[in-house]
Amino acid sequence: MTRYIFITGGVVSSLGKGLAAAALGALLQARGYKVRLRKLDPYLNIDPGTMSPTQHGEVFVTDDGAETDLDLGHYERFTGVAARQGDNVTTGRIYSTVLAKERHGDYLGATVQVIPHVTDAIKEFIRSGVTDEDFILCEIGGTVGDIESLPFLEAIRQFGNDVGAENALFVHVTLLPYIPAAGELKTKPTQHSVKELLSVGIQPQLLLCRADRPIPESERRKIALFCNVREGRVVSALDVDTIYQVPISYHEQGFDKEVLDYFGLPNSPEPDLDLWRTIVSRIKQPEGEVVIGVIGKYTALLESYKSLNEALIHGGIANNVRVRLEWIDSEIFDTEDPVIHLEGVHGILVPGGFGERGAEGKMKAVRFARERGVPYLGICFGMQLAVIDCARNLAGIAEASSTEFGPTSEPIVGLMTEWQRGNSVEHRSASEDFGGTMRLGAYEAVLADGSLVSEIYGANRISERHRHRYEVNIDYRDALEAVGMTFSGLSPDGRLPEIIEFRDHPWFVGVQFHPELKSKPFDPHPLFSSFIAAAMKQSRLV
Ligand code: GLN
């Protein structure tokens, strides 16, 4: 039987609801339960694919090609369960389904309303594709009290009734701010936020209270009394040094125990959390440090490179070193010499990106890495720019460019209008809608024998996630291989370059896909482990 846990947030946004859900998922897994995590987002975009990363953080891509909220990245990193299209829905998608049905005449002449039609569509989403999971954890985006969240809250209220209280638990994440003048953690915002939930008919049974210091017993009692929650179920969620400590810390505070208790499930045996303890100790007691220069455009908002940030930490875990990141806005290289900024770094990474702004600066960083023998990892845009740099500066193709930047006589990187996926051919054209027009999701690549990447992966066929419109143009392969670049990974039909590397360089790899999306703290991605290992070698040289 499947049980449902709904996670809402109150008081302020950015409380780490996603992490809380992910950590609870990991704890239930450690108890032997099968879990799946889902996110309901109350905005009107169909998916976050068209949103600027500075607005909404990174777009996380699933194997089945969905562009989803970054919280799904947390879910995967904590539970290892591959997220699917059906694990993230937005108000926009719900409404577009409802409206399509209305146009189709499916409502048989009824007046189409938020209740029951929109709420029914939401409930259908929550239930869809559930098979043998013991728990579905459903996070509601936004903050309780937002107008946008109302249909979702109404839907989960109904859902709780439909499946019965014994199968549904409402967890509310709140904040206890510390007021220095009073020297106290304040409970009032939590009380108000629970009242807000009550006004839509939801009585949370468990409160997860974020605080920057231990919550005194008296305050927990007060919250329990005013919010009509059992005292044990007012759980402290104290700030921790690394996110991978969250499962351990929540377990110590009794979060999973209270959840099991609510459902009448046994609390023993103790879950084995050694996996998490090892990760935390490796992060907290590293044996050295490497510095990686990340040359990007959205460096001001770290959320826009969430998975990348984590994957680099995982690379550090694999090598027992701390990875210190130097985020460098590539536009600085328009006016300043890259040498000043890059001389001290042990590895250079150019991540995914879109548009011409800052691209020339990124190429200067690529060239620096290539000429100085500094380990280089180019991801997606970072691979495309490495290829353009090679074409311009080694192969002498002065006009080499990407059609993403406008028409060019030498489209080293260009828009493919069709390519194979399985047996079907997908079509795209330059004039299509922007949303959902990219090569998205998992695609296979065949690795060349004897290449660096086949050694790194220990395999000759891999599957990785993609999110891009443009492709490196295979027609230039011979010209580029003649000057030392190797096309070491190709799509199975041989038409799409997936990986490039340089033979005569200590470590220079460009990949058309996003390896960071599949890295886990307990299973660091081989490309990141190898890149950080190369950076360690480099650190002994500089
Ligand atoms: N802008 C490039 C493209 O669309 C690269 C995309 C990316 O780095 N994710 O192909």
Side-chain angles (χ1 to χ4, degrees):
M1 189 204 325
T2 306
R3 297 172 176 85
Y4 294 84
I5 301 173
F6 296 101
I7 296 133
T8 53
V11 182
V12 291
S13 59
S14 307
L15 273 182
K17 268 187 305 185
L19 267 179
L24 178 59
L27 287 172
L28 292 170
Q29 253 187 349
R31 305 259 189 178
Y33 294 108
K34 186 167 177 192
V35 301
R36 177 162 287 283
L37 288 104
R38 303 205 139 150
K39 172 115 197 248
L40 294 89
D41 274 313
Y43 48 76
L44 282 171
N45 305 58
I46 300 285
D47 61 40
T50 54
M51 275 192 248
S52 160
T54 52
Q55 280 268 316
H56 195 257
E58 156 188 284
V59 175
F60 188 79
V61 181
T62 59
D63 277 334
D64 60 2
E67 296 180 278
T68 70
D69 187 77
L70 58 78
D71 276 325
L72 275 80
H74 287 311
Y75 303 165
E76 280 201 13
R77 283 188 286 276
F78 277 78
T79 65
V81 178
R84 301 187 294 230
Q85 167 86 62
D87 293 327
N88 188 200
V89 83
T90 65
T91 300
R93 192 179 289 278
I94 294 284
Y95 270 87
S96 79
T97 322
V98 170
L99 295 177
K101 275 172 123 181
E102 186 272 333
R103 291 290 82 183
H104 197 244
D106 293 355
Y107 294 115
L108 305 174
T111 307
V112 182
Q113 293 176 303
V114 173
I115 307 171
H117 303 102
V118 169
T119 47
D120 278 354
I122 296 170
K123 290 198 285 179
E124 213 166 284
F125 161 79
I126 296 170
R127 259 190 306 264
S128 66
V130 175
T131 53
D132 58 344
E133 286 87 353
D134 299 301
F135 289 99
I136 299 289
L137 284 75
C138 238
E139 177 192 349
I140 318 296
T143 309
V144 166
D146 297 345
I147 289 177
E148 287 88 348
S149 312
L150 280 175
F152 285 128
L153 296 178
E154 169 59 16
I156 62 171
R157 180 195 70 75
Q158 292 176 16
F159 197 98
N161 259 344
D162 295 349
V163 298
E166 65 282 15
N167 294 315
L169 165 67
F170 292 93
V171 174
H172 192 50
V173 186
T174 74
L175 174 75
L176 269 56
Y178 179 75
I179 307 295
E184 278 176 3
L185 283 169
K186 290 298 184 185
T187 65
K188 193 71 83 191
T190 297
Q191 297 175 38
H192 280 298
S193 168
V194 170
K195 274 217 180 92
E196 195 77 46
L197 260 185
L198 278 170
S199 73
V200 294
I202 295 175
Q203 163 70 61
Q205 294 94 1
L206 199 153
L207 298 177
L208 192 62
C209 303
R210 292 288 312 270
D212 66 353
R213 62 202 68 213
I215 306 173
E217 272 308 308
S218 56
E219 300 309 296
R220 281 189 37 214
R221 253 200 309 273
K222 193 160 141 192
I223 296 170
L225 185 67
F226 282 99
C227 298
N228 195 21
V229 172
R230 276 195 214 168
E231 204 180 311
R233 293 189 188 150
V234 178
V235 177
S236 320
L238 303 185
D239 294 351
V240 286
D241 301 333
T242 142
I243 56 169
Y244 299 119
Q245 203 169 341
V246 173
I248 302 169
S249 158
Y250 283 7
H251 174 67
E252 285 166 359
Q253 299 298 327
F255 188 19
D256 50 333
K257 174 183 161 295
E258 293 298 334
V259 168
L260 295 173
D261 180 64
Y262 174 84
F263 287 113
L265 294 167
N267 178 38
S268 56
E270 269 288 292
D272 181 0
L273 299 180
D274 281 352
L275 185 72
W276 297 103
R277 291 199 183 92
T278 310
I279 292 167
V280 170
S281 82
R282 283 188 159 223
I283 290 177
K284 284 191 168 175
Q285 287 120 27
E287 280 165 10
E289 179 180 88
V290 293
V291 183
I292 303 294
V294 184
I295 323 299
K297 188 158 68 173
Y298 310 114
T299 49
L301 184 72
L302 294 186
E303 292 280 284
S304 47
Y305 296 112
K306 190 79 210 159
S307 295
L308 178 69
N309 206 354
E310 295 307 317
L312 285 160
I313 293 173
H314 304 163
I317 293 174
N319 290 284
N320 226 353
V321 287
R322 173 177 296 126
V323 178
R324 188 152 62 79
L325 301 182
E326 276 198 15
W327 298 92
I328 302 169
D329 186 335
S330 59
E331 281 182 293
I332 202 164
F333 298 149
D334 292 346
T335 49
E336 289 179 28
D337 188 347
V339 178
I340 308 165
H341 296 271
L342 297 176
E343 219 159 25
V345 304
H346 310 132
I348 293 176
L349 193 150
V350 174
F354 292 85
E356 190 168 19
R357 187 165 63 83
E360 289 298 324
K362 291 178 189 175
M363 269 190 278
K364 284 187 188 162
V366 174
R367 185 171 188 174
F368 178 91
R370 177 171 59 73
E371 292 181 344
R372 303 265 188 134
V374 179
Y376 175 79
L377 177 56
I379 294 178
C380 207
F381 204 39
M383 161 179 168
Q384 297 174 355
L385 295 176
V387 174
I388 297 173
D389 162 65
C390 172
R392 283 188 196 167
N393 300 315
L394 290 177
I397 308 170
E399 297 301 311
S401 187
S402 167
T403 55
E404 182 172 2
F405 311 148
T408 166
S409 58
E410 302 281 3
I412 300 281
V413 178
L415 191 68
M416 298 289 293
T417 49
E418 57 171 44
W419 63 85
Q420 297 286 141
R421 182 175 201 174
N423 292 324
S424 66
V425 177
E426 294 190 12
H427 297 269
R428 280 182 311 183
S429 81
S431 58
E432 265 175 90
D433 276 357
F434 245 56
T437 55
M438 289 192 264
R439 179 148 79 109
L440 287 167
Y443 284 81
E444 289 199 318
V446 178
L447 310 185
D449 284 341
S451 60
L452 174 63
V453 283
S454 70
E455 191 188 306
I456 291 171
Y457 276 94
N460 51 24
R461 210 177 167 102
I462 57 163
S463 169
E464 292 280 6
R465 295 182 190 169
H466 290 248
R467 181 173 187 255
H468 55 102
R469 271 190 196 89
Y470 299 87
E471 307 280 351
V472 171
N473 189 339
I474 192 80
D475 293 345
Y476 288 91
R477 180 179 182 172
D478 291 345
L480 298 172
E481 291 206 323
V483 292
M485 182 173 262
T486 309
F487 283 51
S488 52
L490 294 174
S491 58
D493 66 2
R495 293 174 65 196
L496 302 175
E498 293 277 12
I499 308 177
I500 55 95
E501 56 187 72
F502 274 108
R503 267 191 310 280
D504 304 326
H505 189 285
W507 206 101
F508 191 108
V509 176
V511 293
Q512 186 57 77
F513 45 81
H514 289 273
E516 72 274 24
L517 300 178
K518 288 196 13 180
S519 189
K520 317 268 186 315
F522 44 82
D523 185 17
H525 192 287
L527 276 174
F528 285 93
S529 306
S530 176
F531 176 56
I532 298 301
M536 283 163 73
K537 270 196 201 141
Q538 178 72 13
S539 73
R540 287 180 211 116
L541 300 176
V542 291

